[in-house]
Amino acid sequence: MTTQTFTWVPTVAGSSGDAMLLVRKAQFGDGYAQRAPDGLNNRSSSYNLTFIGDATKISAIMAFLDARAGGEAFYWTPLLRPQSLFTCEKYSEPTKDGNVYTMTAQFDQTFDTTSAT
């Protein structure tokens, strides 16, 4: 089975992301600190995304995420970044306003290629 790609586009409003840079730090007594990147993949990203659409669109997004059960990675392309592997362990149940549904999802970057089948 090949790794699937998440193709739905989140809304810009209500979406945000964070970059985490892992650093090893040695603090010395005179106030001096020495820092170095920790590991090959010391930068990872996490995104809180908002999706708005009709029942068909939101149902398809939930089905895609449910099929991966939080453990299987998928490809997704963040803004201004290259396509990468992500997992989604958490998303909100949709809310409805007329015929429009809204949901949020948290995408966490992963480097574990074994979860990408």
Side-chain angles (χ1 to χ4, degrees):
M1 183 175 177
T2 61
T3 302
Q4 299 293 311
T5 300
F6 187 90
T7 57
W8 295 272
V9 178
T11 62
V12 175
S15 296
S16 65
D18 293 308
M20 169 82 71
L21 300 170
L22 297 177
V23 177
R24 288 186 181 245
K25 180 179 172 183
Q27 186 71 45
F28 299 97
D30 61 357
Y32 176 77
Q34 189 174 24
R35 294 173 183 84
D38 186 9
L40 295 175
N41 297 310
N42 76 309
R43 185 196 180 286
S44 64
S45 297
S46 179
Y47 295 89
N48 294 308
L49 305 173
T50 301
F51 299 93
I52 299 172
D54 60 16
T56 303
K57 175 183 176 179
I58 299 301
S59 294
I61 291 171
M62 290 190 311
F64 180 93
L65 298 175
D66 286 344
R68 276 131 203 91
E72 182 183 330
F74 53 88
Y75 287 107
W76 179 63
T77 306
L79 290 174
L80 302 176
R81 296 283 181 192
Q83 185 179 64
S84 302
L85 284 172
F86 288 87
T87 58
C88 179
E89 295 181 26
K90 179 181 178 181
Y91 70 85
S92 70
E93 294 294 337
T95 58
K96 183 178 180 185
D97 184 13
N99 291 329
V100 178
Y101 293 82
T102 302
M103 68 171 288
T104 60
Q106 181 176 323
F107 286 12
D108 297 308
Q109 188 174 14
T110 184
F111 301 97
D112 182 8
T113 57
T114 59
S115 66
T117 56

